[in-house]
Amino acid sequence: MSQQDASSVRALSERLLIASHKGQADHVVQLINKGAKEAITKNGRTPLHLAAYKSHIAVVRILLAAGCELDIQDDGDQTALHRATVVGNADVISALIQEGCALDRQDKDGNTALHEAAWHGFSQSVKLLVKAGANVHAKNKAGNTALHLACQNGHAQSSKVLLLGGSRPDSKNSVGDTCLHVSARYNHVSVIRALLSAICSVTERNHAGDTALHIAAALNHRKTVRMLLEAGADSRVNNNTGETALDQARENDNPEVALLLTKAPQVGKHTRLRLYRTHLVPKPAPLHQQTNQRPKMDERL
């Protein structure tokens, strides 16, 4: 190829990036037919990255049919699947999966596409990835599974999909927190109900020796404290500094929680069977009832 031809191909390839970003399907076809190749942006993103992130499904299909590489990772080690999952576009995710993309590539933070879907609460995307065989047990660099992230942000529906897909609620992250610890810290009651319905452990301790009850008591999460006690949490457990959940409540000036905990022997007699019978812990909703929400999209290339 002459220098002039090479320059012409580079120009076409740059135009392909722009057309893919803007969703100009006809223009993308014309550029490919003229010999445009896969160029990358300053962030290492290909036309497929750009089209996937902007939810341009027609362009994505054209690029896939033209043989664009599926699993190129950008400067943040994200693939086109990551980028599609960040915005929760089920059609693009399905197209990439059907084409045989890698499901469990990890970005610079160790997050897979499933982590992204769970973090944002895109339950339909979570469902697609789980059904396709994404690893629900994969951990990012902080030791968090996708379920940890769904629990942290209070995404109950995504949490239920992950639990139905085999996620282990008692898996621990790098500080020893289970999903119940995380949910108790952020006071996500609906997620706690889902975890309890999956028979998670209420006795697990993190690296500080705290149970979920310690955390909820310290943060004055009264309803969470009550739910944990009714599920059988032991208020007498000491953490690594020898403190019980009652000690934590008193230290943080949470009198109502402290009162609940002083009555813990009576509350503790209630079992999870009572929770189920009184419908405090509902069964997970059927998969077909899951919803999908999308945040405002970043306009950056």
Side-chain angles (χ1 to χ4, degrees):
M1 180 184 297
S2 68
Q3 186 174 355
Q4 183 177 357
D5 289 340
S7 178
S8 176
V9 169
R10 283 195 298 271
L12 289 170
S13 300
E14 290 295 327
R15 290 165 60 189
L16 179 60
L17 284 170
I18 296 170
S20 297
H21 177 66
K22 292 183 175 180
Q24 298 169 334
D26 291 342
H27 197 192
V28 168
V29 172
Q30 292 170 9
L31 289 167
I32 291 173
N33 288 336
K34 289 178 179 179
K37 304 297 182 184
E38 283 186 281
I40 60 173
T41 69
K42 63 182 180 180
N43 295 318
R45 291 172 186 155
T46 66
L48 189 59
H49 279 97
L50 303 181
Y53 181 67
K54 296 294 290 183
S55 301
H56 298 316
I57 182 61
V59 174
V60 167
R61 287 175 176 150
I62 292 165
L63 293 170
L64 292 176
C68 287
E69 291 190 48
L70 279 170
D71 301 316
I72 292 176
Q73 292 173 279
D74 63 16
D75 290 353
D77 289 337
Q78 291 198 328
T79 64
L81 182 63
H82 281 97
R83 300 301 292 163
T85 309
V86 167
V87 295
N89 190 289
D91 289 336
V92 175
I93 292 169
S94 294
L96 293 170
I97 289 173
Q98 289 170 9
E99 197 66 21
C101 68
L103 297 174
D104 299 318
R105 290 282 175 89
Q106 292 178 292
D107 66 15
K108 66 178 181 179
D109 296 315
N111 292 313
T112 65
L114 187 58
H115 281 94
E116 289 285 2
W119 173 261
H120 290 286
F122 297 133
S123 58
Q124 183 64 25
S125 299
V126 171
K127 178 182 174 182
L128 285 170
L129 291 164
V130 170
K131 281 192 169 184
N135 182 9
V136 296
H137 308 304
K139 293 186 176 184
N140 63 16
K141 289 186 177 179
N144 290 313
T145 63
L147 183 58
H148 278 97
L149 300 186
C151 291
Q152 181 174 333
N153 283 350
H155 299 311
Q157 195 62 37
S158 292
S159 297
K160 291 172 185 177
V161 176
L162 288 164
L163 288 166
L164 288 171
S167 291
R168 294 188 287 263
D170 298 329
S171 177
K172 294 186 177 183
N173 63 18
S174 58
V175 296
D177 281 347
T178 65
C179 296
L180 189 61
H181 282 97
V182 173
S183 302
R185 180 170 291 109
Y186 292 96
N187 201 31
H188 294 314
V189 174
S190 59
V191 175
I192 292 170
R193 286 174 178 156
L195 294 171
L196 293 176
S197 73
I199 319 298
C200 70
S201 171
V202 296
T203 61
E204 293 293 332
R205 301 196 294 172
N206 62 19
H207 293 343
D210 290 326
T211 63
L213 186 62
H214 280 94
I215 293 170
L219 294 173
N220 199 32
H221 297 328
R222 294 188 297 276
K223 190 167 186 178
T224 294
V225 167
R226 183 178 294 278
M227 289 176 66
L228 292 171
L229 289 172
E230 290 181 334
D234 190 348
S235 63
R236 300 165 297 180
V237 172
N238 294 320
N239 62 15
N240 293 351
T241 59
E243 293 182 318
T244 64
L246 179 58
D247 295 328
Q248 295 276 13
R250 287 171 173 166
E251 281 183 17
N252 290 278
D253 194 26
N254 300 329
E256 292 183 25
V257 169
L259 182 61
L260 275 176
L261 291 164
T262 58
K263 297 179 179 180
Q266 288 75 34
V267 177
K269 290 179 181 179
H270 299 289
T271 66
R272 292 192 190 187
L273 183 59
R274 176 182 175 276
L275 289 175
Y276 292 126
R277 286 176 175 171
T278 57
H279 304 291
L280 288 176
V281 181
K283 293 182 180 179
L287 293 180
H288 69 271
Q289 293 181 9
Q290 295 159 20
T291 59
N292 195 28
Q293 303 174 9
R294 298 179 185 171
K296 185 176 180 180
M297 293 189 292
D298 191 341
E299 293 298 326
R300 294 171 298 172
L301 289 178

